[in-house]
């Protein structure tokens, strides 16, 4: 039974109004950047572009997309992101589940071990020497392995697992399932929301990352697109006469174009993951 | 009990970390001493010349760091390295680093002992941090192995310039690239079409500059004639020598134009603190007057460079600071806004002030570090001779800029001409050639890793300049006096740290107050005394005394 009181109606009106305002505020910069990326030199220097492109031009897109290095680096980014996300997800899930089991021996030690890394780390140079010593430099492994488990994500996931009623696991184990069976058939199917969140966190992180690539990769053909674009912007923005770029008009809106080119693909991931963000899968699973 | 356990673990981890760090450091120290004596005899006979090129009889490979410029991204297929290898028998094994992060990667590689043998593109000053690591060779000990370098230093009188890079031990660690003549690039530029239309003379002094702005203001009351970019920092730097005989740049949000707050007095051979000098007050008063009279835009101090450029290219201001490359950029934007042929822009000559018509600058440029690893290489001497030839011999520099005579360029006296099948639009060489290969992007020549666009011997420096820039540069050299360089004060480790900290406090205060004085938020007559006093209480006197004492001690060594 739905009661539509006067108060409720006012609430709806105000609610919709506020939400619309939020949408406008968040959408404006996105549209502004999109419009600027398609505008020409004259309108950009006069600063007249708001959310509709003026003096439509795609020179910058053409210049960047006409470069084979760009596509090669884009391919690298996709590979690093997919592989990195899979590895991170598997490792984090396994570790987080283990930590969520109360009867695990040395649980306190392992937790302390993990949390320790949130406060202290070896620093860039020791890390570099480890990666170098393991002969991972200039391979994809240098990008996807060292940061495979993010401590923050691990703790989030462990907390989620701890929230799953223990009775479900007990029931499964009475029915003869071992630990791996419980993880694969009970825990993971119940954890779709958290897994979707982790995929998003890891994929976006990997997509945007450039630091480990900059550190461990010495050949241009291995670099991800983030570094390619970073270097492009550095070139276009440099004020020194000697090394200045020949990009010309391109340099004016290169910032906007690079933002569009790098964010669009990863933005497309969101709608596909959204359906997993469902609450209440476990309501009523434990009775009495 | 549990607490104890976690403490033990923490200890173990800490020790392990420390051990791994120190292990990495000690590794690099091994094998310092030997090599040199055994290698000499066989190596000397290894090096000859062939067709004007350096030639190593034995094929050798040297590792090198390469800064990848996005305007001409590195390609394996570049002819430059192929020809270099054919002609010299030297193969360069490159570690490619995007230029955006070149400095950070260099630091990581040096600190972890993984750096290549040759590290180019290191600006004097940035090598300081590596000196104590022992990873970088004190290159001044080896210059006797480098005849071309020594010759340039001697013939171009660079001994004083080299004092600006000496460390506390009296040695220098970066092998700088050299200019025969100092090239002034930054200046103010002005809309000459407006000046011509109204019969206004191009100014040569700061006073004439003021009267030019006044006339413009009278003719165009809606326009604030001078609206500067780089938060006015660059203009202050250029104006400094005319008022105070030292660059007086400010630190803006875009870029830091400020240098040391010390003024080197050549006559007394000691240092002064310029922010409290009367001459600096005069300089501030001059610009404050421009602001008061509405000749200079107040926003010059706060606006971003883009905002300032937009005003200039849309005709809302007539004067802005620039360099050669930026001037080209303004013209392009003005053509889009005002229409081709509706404007003319030119650089002003460096203006003179109460202290004369001076420029300040150093003839040393970004240079090369040679690492400890190179010394362990059995071909160390060959490496030194190769670097010497490539960066300091006329033939080597010509090759990097122009390629091989006949194949890539022709030469008529001092006039170079790129062959028609190649183009280098960045320097205005065959810019409109059809179906031509880009000399830089497609062949790898003229790369910033190997050349100074406007440096080296005069002939080669001018060979890359557009006529306009050559005219400006020659005019500046003819009319202006190059101020003597301040020698580097090489403090010992502890003093350096305390001096640096003091310096940054003092500079912050100077920066903040200079803007206030210029904009009129502080009054030069009323507030100057308390400004000078505040410097004292912030330790300016101590800072200056320490600097002078350290310099005297260094001289007596």
């Amino acid at each position: 039974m739905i009661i539509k009181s006067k108060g409720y109606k006012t609430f709806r009106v105000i609610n919709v109004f506020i939400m619309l305002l939020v949408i406008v505020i968040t959408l404006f910069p996105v549209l502004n950047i999109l419009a600027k990326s398609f505008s020409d030199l004259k309108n950009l220097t006069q600063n007249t572009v708001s959310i509709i492109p003026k003096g439509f031009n795609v020179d910058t897109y053409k210049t960047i997309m006409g470069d084979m290095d760009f596509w090669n680096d884009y391919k690298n980014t996709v590979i690093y992101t997919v592989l990195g996300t899979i590895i991170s997800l598997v490792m984090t899930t396994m570790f987080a589940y283990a930590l969520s089991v109360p009867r695990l021996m040395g649980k306190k030690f392992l937790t302390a071990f993990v949390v320790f890394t949130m406060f202290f780390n070896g620093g860039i140079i020791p890390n570099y020497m480890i990666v170098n010593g393991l002969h991972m430099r200039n391979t994809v492994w240098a990008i996807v392995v060292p940061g495979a488990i993010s401590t923050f994500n691990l703790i989030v996931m462990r907390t989620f697992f701890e929230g799953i009623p223990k009775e479900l696991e007990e029931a499964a184990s009475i029915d003869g399932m071992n630990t791996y069976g419980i993880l694969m058939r009970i825990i993971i199917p119940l954890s779709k929301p958290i897994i979707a969140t982790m995929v998003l966190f890891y994929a976006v992180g990997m997509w945007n990352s450039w630091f480990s690539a900059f550190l461990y990769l010495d050949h241009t053909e291995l670099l991800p697109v983030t570094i390619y674009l970073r270097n492009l912007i550095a070139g276009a923005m440099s004020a020194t006469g000697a090394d200045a770029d020949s990009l010309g008009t391109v340099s004016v809106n290169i910032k906007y174009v690079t933002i569009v080119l790098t964010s669009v693909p990863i933005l497309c991931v969101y709608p596909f993951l959204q359906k997993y963000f469902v609450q209440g899968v476990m309501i009523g699973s434990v009775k009495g | 009990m549990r607490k104890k356990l976690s403490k033990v673990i923490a200890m173990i981890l800490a020790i392990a970390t420390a051990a791994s760090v120190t292990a990495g450091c000690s590794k690099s120290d091994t094998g310092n001493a030997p090599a040199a004596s055994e290698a000499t005899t066989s190596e000397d006979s290894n090096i000859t010349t062939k067709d004007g090129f350096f030639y190593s009889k034995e094929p050798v490979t040297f590792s090198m760091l390469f800064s990848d410029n996005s305007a001409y991204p590195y390609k394996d297929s570049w002819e430059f390295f192929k020809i270099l290898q054919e002609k010299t028998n030297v193969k360069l094994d490159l570690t490619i680093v995007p230029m955006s992060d070149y400095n950070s990667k260099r630091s990581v590689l040096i600190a972890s002992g993984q750096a290549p043998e040759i590290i180019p593109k290191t600006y004097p000053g940035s090598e300081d941090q590596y000196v104590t690591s022992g990873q970088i060779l004190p290159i001044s000990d080896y210059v006797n192995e480098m005849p071309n370098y020594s010759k340039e230093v001697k013939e171009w009188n660079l001994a004083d310039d080299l004092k600006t890079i000496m460390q506390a031990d009296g040695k220098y660690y970066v092998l700088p690239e050299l200019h025969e003549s100092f090239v002034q690039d930054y200046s103010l530029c002005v809309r000459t079409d407006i000046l011509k239309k109204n019969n206004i003379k191009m100014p040569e002094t700061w006073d004439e500059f003021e009267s030019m702005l006044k006339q413009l203001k009278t003719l165009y009351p809606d326009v604030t004639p001078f609206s500067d970019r780089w938060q006015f920092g660059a203009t202050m730097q250029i104006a400094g020598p005319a008022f105070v005989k030292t660059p007086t740049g400010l630190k803006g949000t875009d870029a830091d134009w400020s240098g040391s707050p010390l003024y080197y007095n050549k006559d007394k051979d000691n240092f002064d603190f310029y922010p409290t000098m009367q001459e600096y007050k005069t300089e501030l008063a001059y610009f404050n007057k421009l602001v008061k009279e509405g000749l200079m835009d107040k926003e010059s101090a706060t606006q971003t460079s883009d905002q300032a450029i937009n005003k200039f290219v849309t005709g809302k201001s007539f004067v802005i600071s620039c360099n050669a490359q930026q001037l080209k950029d303004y013209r392009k934007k003005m053509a889009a806004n005002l229409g081709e042929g509706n404007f003319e822009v030119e650089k002003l000559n460096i203006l003179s002030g109460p202290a004369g018509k001076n420029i300040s600058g150093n003839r040393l440029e970004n240079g090369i570090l040679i690492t400890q690893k190179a010394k362990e290489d059995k071909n160390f001497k060959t490496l030194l001779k190769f670097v010497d030839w490539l960066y300091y011999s006329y033939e080597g520099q010509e090759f990097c800029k122009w390629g091989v005579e006949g194949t890539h360029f022709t030469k008529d006296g001092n006039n170079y001409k790129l062959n028609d099948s190649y183009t280098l639009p960045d320097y205005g060489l065959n810019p409109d050639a059809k179906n031509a290969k880009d000399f830089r992007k497609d062949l790898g020549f003229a790369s910033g890793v190997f050349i100074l666009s406007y440096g080296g011997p005069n002939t080669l420096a001018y060979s890359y300049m557009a006529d306009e820039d050559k005219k400006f540069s020659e005019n500046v050299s003819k009319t202006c006096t190059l101020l003597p360089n301040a020698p580097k004060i090489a403090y010992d480790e502890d003093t350096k740290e305390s001096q640096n900290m003091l310096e940054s406090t003092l500079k912050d205060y100077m920066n903040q107050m200079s803007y206030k004085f210029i904009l009129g938020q502080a009054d030069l007559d009323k507030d100057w005394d308390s400004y000078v006093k505040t410097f004292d209480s912030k330790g300016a006197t101590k800072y200056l005394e320490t600097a002078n004492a350290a310099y005297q001690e260094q001289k007596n060594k």
Side-chain angles (χ1 to χ4, degrees):
Chain A
M1 191 171 67
I2 301 159
I3 304 158
K4 285 184 182 167
S5 69
K6 209 176 175 190
Y8 181 71
K9 273 185 192 157
T10 346
F11 166 75
R12 289 263 302 226
V13 170
I14 295 172
N15 196 20
V16 167
F17 178 74
I18 292 175
M19 284 305 156
L20 279 176
L21 201 70
V22 170
I23 289 173
V24 169
I25 291 170
T26 40
L27 214 54
F28 179 76
V30 177
L31 292 178
N32 182 247
I33 282 166
L34 204 59
K36 280 182 172 169
S37 76
F38 284 108
S39 298
D40 73 354
L41 187 62
K42 187 178 171 189
N43 289 294
L44 284 167
T45 46
Q46 287 173 354
N47 207 6
T48 53
V49 183
S50 63
I51 59 168
I52 295 160
K54 283 190 181 164
F56 190 79
N57 118 76
V58 287
D59 287 353
T60 313
Y61 282 101
K62 272 191 200 154
T63 312
I64 296 180
M65 294 169 93
D67 186 355
M68 285 319 290
D69 288 347
F70 171 77
W71 294 111
N72 177 57
D73 291 356
Y74 224 110
K75 183 195 78 194
N76 290 337
T77 294
V78 173
I79 294 173
Y80 297 159
T81 305
V82 171
L83 191 65
T85 309
I86 293 170
I87 290 178
S88 295
L89 200 63
V90 171
M91 310 261 277
T92 313
T93 313
M94 293 200 300
F95 199 177
Y97 178 62
L99 286 182
S100 76
V101 178
R103 62 191 157 83
L104 178 72
M105 237 171 67
K107 184 181 165 188
K108 279 266 156 60
F109 167 75
L110 283 173
T111 312
F113 193 75
V114 167
V115 173
F116 184 82
T117 64
M118 285 181 94
F119 303 104
F120 304 98
N121 65 61
I124 296 172
I125 290 155
N127 273 335
Y128 183 83
M129 285 171 10
I130 290 173
V131 170
N132 185 48
L134 293 171
H135 303 291
M136 293 203 294
R137 252 172 77 198
N138 295 320
T139 66
V140 54
W141 308 115
I143 310 300
V144 296
V145 173
I149 296 180
S150 134
T151 317
F152 176 78
N153 289 351
L154 180 73
I155 289 170
V156 169
M157 216 167 178
R158 186 202 63 181
T159 314
F160 183 91
F161 288 151
E162 279 173 349
I164 295 174
K166 289 285 155 283
E167 290 81 356
L168 290 176
E169 290 180 49
E170 282 162 13
S173 97
I174 286 166
D175 288 344
M177 229 180 234
N178 62 14
T179 313
Y180 297 101
I182 295 173
L183 176 63
M184 298 306 293
R185 300 198 187 172
I186 309 288
I187 302 295
I188 290 185
L190 288 175
S191 306
K192 278 181 193 156
I194 195 73
I195 289 175
T197 314
M198 289 300 134
V199 167
L200 209 56
F201 280 2
Y202 278 123
V204 172
M206 198 54 102
W207 185 273
N208 290 334
S209 82
W210 58 273
F211 192 72
S212 51
F214 137 73
L215 215 50
Y216 304 128
L217 304 179
D218 298 336
H219 304 297
T220 37
E221 68 273 13
L222 294 172
L223 296 176
V225 76
T226 34
I227 293 198
Y228 173 89
L229 295 171
R230 193 178 148 78
N231 201 29
L232 205 61
I233 293 181
M237 296 293 140
S238 77
T240 54
D243 276 335
D245 65 305
S246 56
L247 293 166
T249 57
V250 167
S251 68
V252 180
N253 63 354
I254 194 160
K255 269 190 275 186
Y256 311 112
V257 173
T258 48
I259 291 173
V260 173
L261 284 176
T262 46
S263 9
V264 165
I266 199 79
L267 277 178
C268 295
V269 176
Y270 282 80
F272 293 102
L273 289 174
Q274 205 185 17
K275 66 173 175 184
Y276 295 104
F277 294 109
V278 204
Q279 271 302 322
V281 250
M282 277 175 299
I283 287 172
S285 62
V286 186
K287 286 264 158 128
Chain B
M1 185 64 207
R2 258 181 209 145
K3 264 191 184 161
K4 254 191 188 167
L5 183 67
S6 59
K7 262 189 192 165
V8 171
I9 294 161
M11 283 285 282
I12 293 170
L13 288 174
I15 292 164
T17 319
S20 70
V21 174
T22 39
C25 296
S26 59
K27 194 180 148 196
S28 55
D29 289 337
T30 51
N32 271 4
S37 57
E38 313 138 40
T40 30
T41 40
S42 62
E43 256 199 281
D44 278 338
S45 56
N46 184 31
I47 308 156
T48 64
T49 46
K50 205 167 130 185
D51 316 331
F53 278 70
F54 164 96
Y55 190 78
S56 161
K57 283 180 194 157
E58 295 290 317
V60 285
T61 302
F62 299 129
S63 57
M64 179 171 175
L65 205 60
F66 186 89
S67 166
D68 191 22
N69 191 311
S70 56
Y72 41 98
Y74 172 80
K75 291 190 189 73
D76 283 333
S77 58
W78 273 354
E79 218 171 273
F80 174 79
F81 292 105
K82 278 186 195 146
I83 299 180
L84 189 66
Q85 192 178 348
E86 269 167 33
K87 296 258 182 192
T88 63
N89 217 5
V90 176
K91 186 178 183 321
L92 290 173
D93 173 23
L94 303 174
T95 299
I96 314 273
V97 183
M99 69 175 192
S100 53
D101 300 295
Y102 188 74
N103 294 351
S104 341
K105 181 107 174 196
R106 183 181 60 206
S107 295
V108 173
L109 289 173
I110 290 176
S112 63
Q114 299 293 329
E117 294 166 308
I118 306 169
I119 306 179
K121 273 207 107 63
T122 303
Y123 283 87
S126 51
E127 85 280 15
D128 292 0
Q129 49 181 318
Y130 311 130
V131 169
T132 47
S133 75
Q135 291 280 330
I136 302 298
L137 294 182
I139 198 68
S140 51
D141 288 355
Y142 300 90
V143 292
N144 53 351
E145 298 282 349
M146 312 182 104
N148 292 305
Y149 173 79
S150 309
K151 191 172 144 228
E152 287 192 342
V153 167
K154 203 172 145 215
E155 284 180 2
W156 300 346
N157 289 322
L158 289 162
D160 272 346
D161 295 72
L162 286 173
K163 282 189 191 155
T164 61
I165 56 170
M166 294 246 182
Q167 300 292 338
D169 56 5
K171 299 172 179 178
Y172 53 89
Y173 288 72
V174 60
L175 194 63
E177 289 190 63
L178 310 171
H179 288 268
E180 183 174 349
S181 308
F182 175 72
V183 175
Q184 175 75 30
D185 191 10
Y186 284 85
S187 184
L188 293 166
C189 65
V190 60
R191 284 280 296 276
T192 41
D193 60 320
I194 307 263
L195 293 193
K196 274 180 201 153
K197 202 166 82 186
N198 299 298
N199 237 337
I200 305 173
K201 196 170 91 95
M202 285 280 267
E204 283 288 333
T205 70
W206 283 103
D207 285 339
E208 286 173 23
F209 180 71
E210 188 191 346
S211 63
M212 174 193 85
L213 293 180
K214 265 187 194 154
Q215 292 178 59
L216 288 172
K217 182 78 191 168
T218 329
L219 292 162
Y220 304 87
D222 302 338
V223 171
T224 311
F226 181 19
S227 185
D228 205 11
R229 67 179 295 191
W230 290 312
Q231 287 84 35
F232 201 55
T235 306
M236 281 296 279
Q237 192 190 44
I238 305 166
F243 288 91
V244 200
K245 285 199 168 182
T246 192
T248 56
L250 294 175
K251 183 180 177 176
T253 42
D254 275 12
D256 187 357
W257 296 89
S258 64
S260 156
L262 292 174
Y263 156 66
Y264 175 61
N265 190 328
K266 177 85 176 169
D267 300 333
K268 290 195 239 157
D269 196 17
N270 67 1
F271 289 89
D272 269 328
F273 187 69
Y274 82 72
T276 54
M277 279 165 59
Q278 204 55 39
E279 287 87 347
Y280 188 58
K281 189 179 172 185
T282 317
E283 183 181 357
L284 294 175
Y286 174 83
F287 289 111
N288 174 239
K289 198 163 70 176
L290 294 190
V291 171
K292 256 195 293 195
E293 290 171 352
L295 305 176
M296 186 172 112
D297 191 354
K298 269 194 171 184
E299 285 173 18
S300 295
T302 47
Q303 66 192 348
T304 64
S305 288
D306 279 342
Q307 287 170 318
I309 296 168
N310 291 349
K311 284 182 191 167
F312 185 70
V313 299
T314 50
K316 289 182 190 121
S317 73
F318 299 141
V319 183
I320 191 170
S321 46
C322 73
N323 61 29
Q325 197 65 36
Q326 290 297 312
L327 189 57
K328 281 187 211 158
D329 182 54
Y330 301 160
R331 290 205 178 112
K332 217 177 287 169
K333 288 177 179 161
M334 290 174 103
N337 281 292
L338 304 170
E340 202 75 64
N342 293 334
F343 64 90
E344 265 174 49
V345 198
E346 252 177 65
K347 273 188 194 173
L348 285 180
N349 189 12
I350 298 298
L351 301 171
S352 57
K357 207 174 184 63
N358 301 322
I359 45 173
S360 149
N362 194 310
R363 287 185 294 154
L364 310 182
E365 266 278 355
N366 71 72
I368 303 134
L369 300 176
I370 307 284
T371 57
Q372 186 66 41
K373 207 189 259 175
K375 204 181 163 190
E376 290 155 19
D377 191 324
K378 64 178 173 32
N379 296 312
F380 178 50
K381 267 198 168 178
T382 315
L383 183 144
L384 287 179
K385 288 269 180 342
F386 173 71
V387 167
D388 180 53
W389 177 83
L390 189 64
Y391 283 92
Y392 301 102
S393 74
Y394 192 89
E395 294 77 24
Q397 295 180 66
E398 184 182 62
F399 170 71
C400 295
K401 268 193 174 171
W402 290 95
V404 180
E405 188 164 4
T407 322
H408 301 115
F409 74 94
T410 50
K411 187 159 76 160
D412 171 25
N414 286 338
N415 292 323
Y416 285 80
K417 192 184 170 314
L418 197 62
N419 283 355
D420 289 336
S421 43
Y422 303 108
T423 167
L424 186 49
D426 295 357
Y427 294 109
L429 303 170
N430 301 344
D432 304 316
K434 294 264 152 52
N435 299 324
K437 279 190 176 170
D438 194 306
F439 199 48
R440 206 178 208 183
K441 286 185 194 165
D442 299 331
L443 276 76
F445 286 94
S447 152
V449 174
F450 297 103
I451 67 157
L452 291 177
S453 332
Y454 305 140
N458 278 345
T459 329
L460 285 175
Y462 287 144
S463 74
Y464 259 26
M465 276 187 206
D467 286 343
E468 169 191 36
D469 299 323
K470 204 190 300 184
K471 216 177 90 195
F472 171 76
S473 169
E474 280 172 342
N475 191 29
V476 169
S477 322
K478 209 171 64 194
T479 54
C480 303
T481 320
L482 183 62
L483 294 170
N485 278 305
K488 182 177 182 124
I489 308 174
Y491 302 108
D492 59 61
E493 212 50 34
D494 297 339
T495 325
K496 191 174 176 180
E497 203 162 307
S498 63
Q499 283 291 86
N500 280 349
M501 270 166 69
L502 242 159
E503 183 176 306
S504 75
T505 332
L506 296 171
K507 269 169 71 175
D508 278 350
Y509 183 64
M510 177 201 82
N511 213 49
Q512 175 199 344
M513 286 308 290
S514 298
Y515 278 123
K516 280 191 181 166
F517 282 131
I518 293 170
L519 296 177
Q521 291 160 354
D523 192 300
L524 271 167
D525 296 324
K526 281 188 227 147
D527 301 326
W528 182 260
D529 288 343
S530 74
Y531 162 81
V532 173
K533 270 191 204 122
T534 316
F535 264 123
D536 236 18
S537 67
K538 282 181 185 288
T541 323
K542 188 182 148 232
Y543 170 77
L544 182 63
E545 276 167 8
T546 316
N548 271 323
Y551 180 60
Q552 289 307 326
E553 196 184 320
Q554 188 179 323
K555 267 199 308 188
N556 298 334
K557 243 186 215 172

